[in-house]
């Protein structure tokens, strides 16, 4: 490629990134919502949305049913009754506390299942569809407090409707890219590259922000349910130790371990009185 062609391509990419940002920013100013109460941890960020909760929840329900059907067909759904009982017991206590963040959440159609997998992972789809992988329980030898930390974190993603937010961001980005690609006469290759750049510079930072919010809300849910919120620190330490050279899926988009531990120290301490109150009530 000659130098002139390179300059033209780089100029188009820079223009695409800049103008696309201008298209998305006005939308973000008028289509924002706050999906949860702030809680003791003070999560108050306004969120950009383009799609309804009902649409996302319906899609999540279909996707979850497909996951369970596949796992069942492969003999990987709820194979160990003791593990299933334990996971669902912890989930019930956490779900009972979700009303602190949103009044409708305790009445969601929650589902909790255990999937046999060597992957260190757990997730909660929109609307309260939870899956915990057996590797988390067996490889990490989790205490109930640590199990509550990881499940509280995943439940927090659903409470904050992070899936809905990410879908909305992608819709806005795709809209901007399509308009700009047509207007500038860019090739598909350049447009795809610009999309990748935007994903790294816009989507990834939001994803890390989501993870931090889930950490903070998760420790509060755990504390309110009578689980020691400081277990979140030992949980993530275990996750790092078994991750080796590549972090487990649960850690893949989070800020540095040092920053995470510092944040968890601060917020677990902030909600510790809630844990002490919950323990007193249970005695």
């Amino acid at each position: 490629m000659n130098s002139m062609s390179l300059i033209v391509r780089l100029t188009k990419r820079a223009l695409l990134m800049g103008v696309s940002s201008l298209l998305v920013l006005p939308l973000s100013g008028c289509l924002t919502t706050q999906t949860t109460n702030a809680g003791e941890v003070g999560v108050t960020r306004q969120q950009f949305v383009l799609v309804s909760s009902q649409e996302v929840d319906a899609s999540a329900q279909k996707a979850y049913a497909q996951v369970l059907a596949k796992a069942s067909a492969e003999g990987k759904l709820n194979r160990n009754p003791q593990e299933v009982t334990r996971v669902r017991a912890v989930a019930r206590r956490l779900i009972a506390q979700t009303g602190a963040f949103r009044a409708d959440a305790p009445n969601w159609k929650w589902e909790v299942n255990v999937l046999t997998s060597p992957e260190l992972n757990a997730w909660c789809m929109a609307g309260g569809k939870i899956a915990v992988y057996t590797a988390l329980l067996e490889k990490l030898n989790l205490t109930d407090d640590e199990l509550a930390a990881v499940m509280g974190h995943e439940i927090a993603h659903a409470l904050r409707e992070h899936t809905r937010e990410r879908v909305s961001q992608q819709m806005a980005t795709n809209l901007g890219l399509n308009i700009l690609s047509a207007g500038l006469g860019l090739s598909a290759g350049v447009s795809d590259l610009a999309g990748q750049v935007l994903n790294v510079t816009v989507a990834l930072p939001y994803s890390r922000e989501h993870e931090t919010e889930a950490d903070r809300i998760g420790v509060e849910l755990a504390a309110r349910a009578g689980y020691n919120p400081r277990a979140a620190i030992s949980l993530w330490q275990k996750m790092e130790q078994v991750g080796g050279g590549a972090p487990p899926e649960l850690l893949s988009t989070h800020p540095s371990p040092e920053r995470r531990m510092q944040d968890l120290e601060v917020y677990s301490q902030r909600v510790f009185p809630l844990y002490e109150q919950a323990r007193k009530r249970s005695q």
Side-chain angles (χ1 to χ4, degrees), residues 25-42:
L25 283 173
L27 285 172
S28 67
C30 60
L31 296 169
T32 58
T33 188
Q34 169 73 351
T35 57
T36 61
N37 298 325
E40 293 296 320
V41 292

Side-chain angles (χ1 to χ4, degrees), residues 67-77:
V67 170
L68 295 188
K70 183 175 185 294
S72 180
E74 296 174 351
K76 297 179 179 179
L77 177 63

Side-chain angles (χ1 to χ4, degrees), residues 57 60-61 64 109-112 123-131 158:
D57 289 354
Q61 187 169 354
Y64 191 69
K109 296 180 180 178
W110 294 89
E111 295 184 58
V112 185
W123 41 263
C124 181
M125 286 186 179
K129 310 302 184 184
I130 299 173

Side-chain angles (χ1 to χ4, degrees), residues 14 69 95 171 191 210 238 247 250 270 272:
I95 291 167
M171 288 173 61
S191 179
H210 291 169
K238 285 183 177 181
L250 285 172
R270 180 178 296 186
F272 202 81

Side-chain angles (χ1 to χ4, degrees), residues 8-271:
V8 170
R9 291 192 65 181
L10 290 175
T11 300
K12 285 183 176 181
R13 290 177 194 172
L15 182 59
L16 181 60
M17 290 171 61
V19 179
S20 181
S21 297
L22 292 177
L23 284 174
V24 173
L25 283 173
L27 285 172
S28 67
C30 60
L31 296 169
T32 58
T33 188
Q34 169 73 351
T35 57
T36 61
N37 298 325
E40 293 296 320
V41 292
V43 174
T44 59
R45 180 179 61 88
Q46 289 290 308
Q47 298 166 265
F48 168 64
V49 293
L50 285 175
V51 63
S52 71
S53 298
Q54 291 77 13
E55 290 174 295
V56 174
D57 289 354
S59 296
Q61 187 169 354
K62 290 181 180 178
Y64 191 69
Q66 292 171 356
V67 170
L68 295 188
K70 183 175 185 294
S72 180
E74 296 174 351
K76 297 179 179 179
L77 177 63
N78 299 327
R79 288 179 57 180
N80 185 324
Q82 290 182 328
E83 289 181 342
V84 175
T85 297
R86 182 186 177 207
V87 168
R88 287 178 175 172
V90 172
R92 278 195 298 271
R93 286 173 56 176
L94 293 169
I95 291 167
Q97 302 304 319
T98 57
F101 289 95
R102 48 187 302 164
D104 63 326
N107 295 320
W108 286 356
K109 296 180 180 178
W110 294 89
E111 295 184 58
V112 185
N113 291 281
V114 178
L115 307 183
T116 299
S117 172
E119 188 179 348
L120 292 169
N121 203 7
W123 41 263
C124 181
M125 286 186 179
K129 310 302 184 184
I130 299 173
V132 174
Y133 292 8
T134 53
L136 271 177
L137 304 170
E138 297 165 4
K139 290 185 180 180
L140 298 186
N141 192 28
L142 296 183
T143 65
D144 281 358
D145 289 326
E146 291 168 339
L147 178 57
V150 70
M151 293 183 71
H153 174 98
E154 298 307 321
I155 288 171
H157 282 305
L159 295 177
R160 285 291 285 169
E161 298 191 61
H162 286 155
T163 297
R164 179 186 177 199
E165 190 176 11
R166 290 296 295 272
V167 168
S168 297
Q169 291 164 355
Q170 193 61 54
M171 288 173 61
T173 299
N174 289 343
L175 174 63
L177 290 174
N178 290 338
I179 293 172
L180 288 165
S181 295
L184 295 174
L186 297 178
S187 68
V190 175
S191 179
D192 289 345
L193 179 59
Q196 293 170 21
V197 171
L198 283 173
N199 185 55
V200 171
T201 58
V202 177
L204 186 57
Y206 278 131
S207 179
R208 287 175 175 170
E209 192 164 33
H210 291 169
E211 291 296 325
T212 297
E213 289 180 350
D215 275 352
R216 295 175 183 179
I217 291 175
V219 294
E220 180 166 340
L221 283 175
R224 288 181 178 276
Y227 294 107
N228 190 334
R230 291 188 56 80
I233 299 170
S234 60
L235 164 70
W236 300 119
Q237 287 172 338
K238 285 183 177 181
M239 291 288 291
E240 284 185 312
Q241 290 168 0
V242 300
E249 182 67 23
L250 285 172
L251 299 179
S252 61
T253 58
H254 203 276
S256 69
E258 293 78 13
R259 288 179 56 193
R260 178 172 217 161
M261 296 308 167
Q262 290 171 1
D263 197 70
L264 285 171
E265 284 279 1
V266 171
Y267 284 89
S268 62
Q269 188 62 35
R270 180 178 296 186
V271 300

